[in-house]
Amino acid sequence: DSGVTQTPKHLITATGQRVTLRCSPRSGDLSVYWYQQSLDQGLQFLIQYYNGEERAKGNILERFSAQQFPDLHSELNLSSLELGDSALYFCASSYRQRNTEAFFGQGTRLTVV
Amino acid sequence: QQQVKQSPQSLIVQKGGISIINCAYENTAFDYFPWYQQFPGKGPALLIAIRPDVSEKKEGRFTISFNKSAKQFSLHIMDSQPGDSATYFCAALSGAGSYQLTFGKGTKLSVIP
């Protein structure tokens, strides 16, 4: 168990809908990272927050947004969902801004139908 | 643009054999190279990592070899066991103002008895 908790584990929704994925980092970790994992693209970095502030952005679509709350948990919001958004979404956390010791959650499997 | 190229995509090794996974990178600003192991239904977990000031790092049956001039690094799993069957990802982290890991596309390793 990495100590990173992601909910829900599975999510099935229809195209055009909006969903929210939640991540609770390991106790004491200040950085949260979101990754998307699909079969053809591997693990793609989406966005990083450190102590409530956005620190880095990767290939995150404009339909996607995230935030980190004062208690350090983070939410990834995906809207206007398309079939191609079906993937595993991972959250990782680390103490420092630079994730040399990042710990991953078990992921949320999103299926868009 | 894929900045970390990983091969092979899949690998079948007999129990007791050596598993070798290779990665190559382009960005000379990368200064930290971890390997992650992912079992089905789980998030990636840090396995072993190396910095470019050393050419080899060994932890138990797992060894990273690093060739800075060739911009290549590899994971060797000695005495491979069926329990090592998983997907392995190499990754790289830039020291130049970027905090997110760039992952290879993964290698699915199957160790057969």
Side-chain angles (χ1 to χ4, degrees), chain A residues 98, chain B residues 27 29-32 92-100:
Chain A
R98 227 174 152 239
Chain B
N27 187 349
F30 288 146
D31 68 352
Y32 176 76
L93 184 63
S94 173
S98 173
Y99 302 123
Q100 70 268 23

Side-chain angles (χ1 to χ4, degrees), chain B residues 83-95:
Chain B
D84 297 330
S85 298
T87 299
Y88 292 82
F89 293 92
C90 62
L93 184 63
S94 173

